[in-house]
Amino acid sequence: MYRSINLNEHNEYLKMLKVLEQRTKYVEYVLVDEDDTRLINNLQDCIFAQKNVNKWWGTESSQRCRLYKIKASPKLFSQLKRFSTFCELKTGDWGDYTESTDFGINDIAFFDDKTEPILFTTTHEGYIELRDDINS
């Protein structure tokens, strides 16, 4: 169903965004950090739904977070391309750990016309999951 991928390098991230841009109809963006609204600030005209949730792709939380459904657009992907990557998964002396990037800790899921997302992140944990039918 899904496989974990790393997009630690900016060029890998941009390559994946190019694949996503061709297929995505909308994204679900969850404000895990409610103060980090950088991505949605300039996309108000693309937001078509929002609700408070405590469960979303890859995550179940006691914390209620705001989920935004955002129509895929050149404007959205232009914003996304400004980030270095979603998150970096590193390996150290004590195993794997996550390094935050300028994207922050908010989660994002990209949807085409299927029920399951093409790709989703659990950003603060360093997980990026890609649907098996998608070639990266």
Side-chain angles (χ1 to χ4, degrees):
M1 188 109 173
Y2 284 90
R3 64 185 182 280
S4 293
I5 63 168
N6 290 332
L7 298 174
N8 288 356
E9 301 297 324
H10 183 64
N11 62 335
E12 295 169 333
Y13 170 75
L14 290 176
K15 185 178 167 189
M16 179 52 65
L17 284 181
K18 190 172 185 178
V19 170
L20 292 169
E21 191 169 9
Q22 295 168 1
R23 297 172 172 256
T24 302
K25 302 264 190 274
Y26 71 95
V27 300
E28 290 184 353
Y29 184 68
V30 179
L31 288 186
V32 177
D33 175 357
E34 62 188 34
D35 295 327
D36 183 5
T37 58
R38 293 171 297 155
L39 182 65
I40 57 171
N41 284 344
N42 297 320
L43 295 170
Q44 294 300 313
D45 56 329
C46 299
I47 295 170
F48 65 90
Q50 51 185 300
K51 61 184 175 180
N52 289 322
V53 296
N54 63 351
K55 186 175 183 179
W56 57 93
W57 280 96
T59 303
E60 192 165 342
S61 173
S62 58
Q63 174 188 358
R64 293 189 65 76
C65 298
R66 196 85 179 142
L67 179 145
Y68 294 86
K69 288 189 178 190
I70 306 167
K71 183 179 57 157
S73 66
K75 190 175 181 180
L76 168 66
F77 281 93
S78 175
Q79 294 272 94
L80 289 170
K81 288 172 187 173
R82 293 180 182 157
F83 297 109
S84 59
T85 186
F86 299 121
C87 54
E88 293 182 17
L89 189 61
K90 306 280 187 163
T91 302
D93 294 339
W94 294 282
D96 292 344
Y97 66 95
T98 303
E99 214 166 86
S100 292
T101 67
D102 55 350
F103 184 76
I105 62 168
N106 293 333
D107 292 339
I108 192 166
F110 297 82
F111 289 85
D112 54 11
D113 51 5
K114 295 186 179 182
T115 317
E116 301 82 24
I118 302 166
L119 178 145
F120 68 90
T121 70
T122 309
T123 311
H124 71 283
E125 292 179 5
Y127 299 129
I128 302 171
E129 301 294 317
L130 183 64
R131 208 171 60 207
D132 282 339
D133 66 328
I134 304 297
N135 296 320
S136 55

